[in-house]
Amino acid sequence: MSDSVPTIPPYATMLGFTRYVTRTGPAKATFVGGLRRARERRSGFNPHGQLVKALKADIAFRTGGSYLNGVTDLVKDRWKPLYEAVSAGALTYLASLGDPEQVSLAQTRDALASVGPLAVKINPHFGLRYEDGRREAVRLHFDEAPPTAEAVTATLHLMARHMDQILPNAEPVLVDLRRGVTHRIDPAARPADVETWLAGEAAAFTAMWSTSAAS
């Protein structure tokens, strides 16, 4: 009878993978080991869920920020400082969308991407549809530090690569929510070069995943 541990195939969410590519040196392996252990325990908690719901409600019901203004009072005390820090930027972002009558929510779907040997879950937070016909698939960045150039490039490229599944004909955007800043694909970026870079990162991620399993 074998005592071997069941093999858990390498896997990352888009958030996990984009956080990984911004790390360097030994920090990369440490991070991958942490992701694997969390996957084994099936642990994970999203502290931002209420904020996302509030932002989506203000867009859907065209309430100009009333849900965002009230959401900090709805969360547990331990999360209030986080919500205070993020909701101000969320209001800035909401205002940047322009006339509330000209924008509405659009349904997005998650996609499972193969990046080299690695399965990556591509999961935008919501979609937007503008009256002029434009669409956007929106991923939110909540961290205290702004997203690095690598994180922006990886996130937007992965969403663009699977937009037919996520929200057809939409533009991918990454919103740095604490600062209310929207990032879009750099038109000078060459998709083939980004793809090569991400495939290399994914191969290294997969090797580290296997190493952390053996240790």
Side-chain angles (χ1 to χ4, degrees):
M1 186 174 166
S2 173
D3 292 329
S4 62
V5 176
T7 303
I8 298 177
Y11 167 88
T13 61
M14 185 164 62
L15 176 62
F17 185 62
T18 54
R19 282 179 169 170
Y20 158 79
V21 300
T22 66
R23 284 164 167 75
T24 56
K28 269 181 148 60
T30 302
F31 183 72
V32 172
L35 286 182
R36 184 190 165 90
R37 287 189 295 276
R39 182 78 173 160
E40 287 168 345
R41 293 192 303 266
R42 298 187 180 279
S43 61
F45 170 69
N46 175 16
H48 306 111
Q50 290 285 92
L51 191 112
V52 176
K53 284 181 184 174
L55 175 57
K56 289 171 69 175
D58 275 323
I59 296 169
F61 302 125
R62 299 172 171 141
T63 37
S66 61
Y67 284 92
L68 282 170
N69 281 317
V71 72
T72 302
D73 295 331
L74 302 178
V75 298
K76 293 179 180 177
D77 287 347
R78 64 177 295 201
W79 300 116
K80 288 189 189 302
L82 169 67
Y83 271 62
E84 286 165 359
V86 177
S87 58
L91 287 164
T92 300
Y93 166 66
L94 183 66
S96 77
L97 298 178
D99 181 355
E101 297 297 326
Q102 299 295 308
V103 61
S104 57
L105 288 179
Q107 180 67 47
T108 58
R109 291 182 173 84
D110 293 348
L112 193 62
S114 294
V115 185
L118 179 63
V120 180
K121 183 181 182 182
I122 313 297
N123 49 342
H125 284 99
F126 55 86
L128 295 177
R129 183 181 290 107
Y130 294 87
E131 287 296 313
D132 62 7
R134 289 180 298 126
R135 293 176 168 193
E136 292 177 350
V138 181
R139 177 75 199 179
L140 303 174
H141 174 90
F142 298 97
D143 294 356
E144 209 167 314
T148 63
E150 292 89 350
V152 171
T153 298
T155 300
L156 295 178
H157 178 81
L158 288 170
M159 287 205 293
R161 189 182 190 245
H162 295 275
M163 199 56 76
D164 284 353
Q165 290 170 260
I166 294 168
L167 181 61
N169 303 313
E171 177 188 7
V173 298
L174 177 65
V175 178
D176 177 3
L177 209 54
R178 290 192 186 227
R179 283 148 286 269
V181 174
T182 298
H183 296 274
R184 302 176 188 277
I185 285 181
D186 178 358
R190 294 170 51 160
D193 292 346
V194 177
E195 193 69 29
T196 300
W197 165 60
L198 290 179
E201 292 283 356
F205 181 108
T206 303
M208 292 173 193
W209 182 280
S210 302
T211 302
S212 71
S215 60

